[in-house]
């Protein structure tokens, strides 16, 4: 098993243990700040739900890394004597000057404001801007530079 999968599996165990401790801790907490409904129990749902979902998400990532790293070659992170330079190489292509990631961010921002204020027209406007910007971002290097 590779290092990333081990890290996320360990984080899953930790978050699962903390969720159990949190759930049992809030069951018997005598705090007057929370509304206690005896028919519903005394569980504080926001924290319990957050910890359980965090544990499930790290389990999902650990499983993903486990299955993908099993098919890949050995990486420098798996060697104890590895140097930083061993992992150097081409990381990928990053666009130097593109306006479209910013436009996509503005579309997501408009959609978020539309959801927050229940303005459906703002959600639609943000979605249209997001779709156009995503299309332009993916096709900007298909068009020759002289056509921009």
């Amino acid at each position: 098993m590779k290092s990333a999968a081990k890290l996320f599996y360990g984080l899953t165990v930790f978050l699962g243990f903390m969720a159990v401790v949190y759930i049992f801790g809030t069951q018997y907490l005598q705090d007057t700040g929370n509304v206690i409904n005896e028919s519903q129990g005394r569980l504080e749902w926001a924290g319990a739900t957050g910890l359980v979902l965090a544990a499930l998400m790290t389990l999902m990532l650990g499983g993903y890394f486990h299955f993908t790293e099993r098919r890949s070659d050995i990486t420098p992170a798996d060697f104890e004597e590895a140097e930083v330079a061993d992992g150097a190489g081409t990381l990928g292509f990053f666009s130097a000057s593109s306006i479209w990631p910013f436009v996509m961010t503005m579309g997501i921002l408009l959609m978020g404001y539309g959801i927050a204020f229940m303005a459906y027209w703002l959600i639609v406007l943000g979605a249209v801007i997001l779709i156009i910007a995503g299309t332009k971002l993916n096709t900007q290097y298909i068009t020759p530079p002289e056509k921009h």
Side-chain angles (χ1 to χ4, degrees):
M1 193 182 323
K2 308 287 177 115
S3 58
K6 289 180 184 177
L7 176 73
F8 278 100
Y9 285 148
L11 193 57
T12 300
V13 170
F14 172 74
L15 287 172
F17 177 72
M18 286 292 111
V20 169
V21 169
Y22 187 84
I23 288 169
F24 282 120
T26 57
Q27 287 284 336
Y28 301 107
L29 183 65
Q30 297 294 328
D31 187 12
T32 58
N34 293 331
V35 176
I36 296 174
N37 186 355
E38 294 298 330
S39 65
Q40 297 290 325
R42 299 175 185 217
L43 178 63
E44 198 277 313
W45 287 101
T49 304
L51 282 169
V52 168
L53 287 177
L56 291 174
M57 283 189 252
T58 55
L59 178 64
M60 180 187 67
L61 281 171
Y64 170 76
F65 285 132
H66 178 79
F67 290 122
T68 56
E69 288 178 344
R70 189 172 53 176
R71 293 186 205 112
S72 66
D73 292 333
I74 296 174
T75 61
D78 296 322
F79 293 120
E80 292 182 13
E81 295 85 19
E83 298 291 330
V84 174
D86 293 336
T90 303
L91 297 176
F93 174 74
F94 301 101
S95 181
S97 60
S98 177
I99 192 67
W100 299 115
F102 176 74
V103 175
M104 288 176 72
T105 305
M106 291 298 109
I108 293 170
L109 178 76
L110 287 176
M111 288 178 67
Y113 278 139
I115 291 169
F117 297 118
M118 293 303 293
Y120 297 113
W121 65 272
L122 206 52
I123 296 171
V124 171
L125 178 66
V128 168
I129 290 172
L130 184 63
I131 290 169
I132 291 171
T135 304
K136 293 290 188 176
L137 177 69
N138 287 318
T139 61
Q140 71 181 350
Y141 290 105
I142 295 174
T143 309
E146 64 273 0
K147 301 273 182 167
H148 282 255

